[in-house]
Amino acid sequence: MANIVPNSFKSGLLKGTFNFDTSGNGGNTFKCALYTSISNYSVASTVFLSGTGQGEVNPSGTSYPAGGKDLTNSGIAGTTTAFVDFADLTFPSVTLTAAGAAIYKSTGGGNELVLVLDFGGNKTATNGDFVIQFPSADATNAIIRLGDA
């Protein structure tokens, strides 16, 4: 499987469903949840899928918080290519295996899906830190980019 950009996210950007602004203009809060399998997601998915029955990592005995953790939004930048990125995310002192993650909007009550990330295989932490390293926040590498290129 590959990373997924849901169709609802694309149209939601144009409808104003998602606000990545961090300059005090009412930007949304975004979260990242971990999954043992992302097979329940597709481009037709619209919301974050909660719970182990949906493939989310089991919070019982793992120190993983159900629903994931808040992301630190780096804000909107760029000119020809506008982009948004997030600070690296650490799940501290966990024991878990994850094959992917979902980024979703956690404010406004809808849990609207932004991206589904495929890790390309299982990644494990055993009583240690599980870190998601986001790419460089620039027009070529940022996790979300809109532009001509």
Side-chain angles (χ1 to χ4, degrees), residues 9-84:
F9 174 67
K10 297 171 201 171
S11 61
L13 282 174
L14 299 178
K15 293 177 182 176
T17 303
F18 301 94
N19 183 349
F20 291 93
D21 193 1
T22 58
S23 65
N25 293 323
N28 298 127
T29 299
F30 296 90
K31 292 185 86 162
C32 182
L34 299 176
Y35 290 83
T36 57
S37 170
I38 58 171
S39 62
N40 287 333
Y41 282 112
S42 72
V43 295
S45 298
T46 59
V47 296
F48 151 72
L49 300 175
S50 175
T52 58
Q54 299 293 336
E56 187 179 7
V57 167
N58 188 344
S60 178
T62 64
S63 296
Y64 167 78
K69 290 184 65 177
D70 286 353
L71 289 164
T72 300
N73 181 348
S74 299
I76 301 168
T79 51
T80 304
T81 299
F83 60 90
V84 171

Side-chain angles (χ1 to χ4, degrees), residues 29-35 48 56 63-73 86-94 96 101-106 129-132 134:
T29 299
F30 296 90
K31 292 185 86 162
C32 182
L34 299 176
Y35 290 83
F48 151 72
E56 187 179 7
S63 296
Y64 167 78
K69 290 184 65 177
D70 286 353
L71 289 164
T72 300
N73 181 348
F86 301 101
D88 292 349
L89 181 64
T90 300
F91 293 86
S93 302
V94 295
L96 59 82
I103 296 173
Y104 65 100
K105 182 181 92 169
S106 63
D129 293 347
F130 190 96
V131 180
I132 297 176
F134 286 96

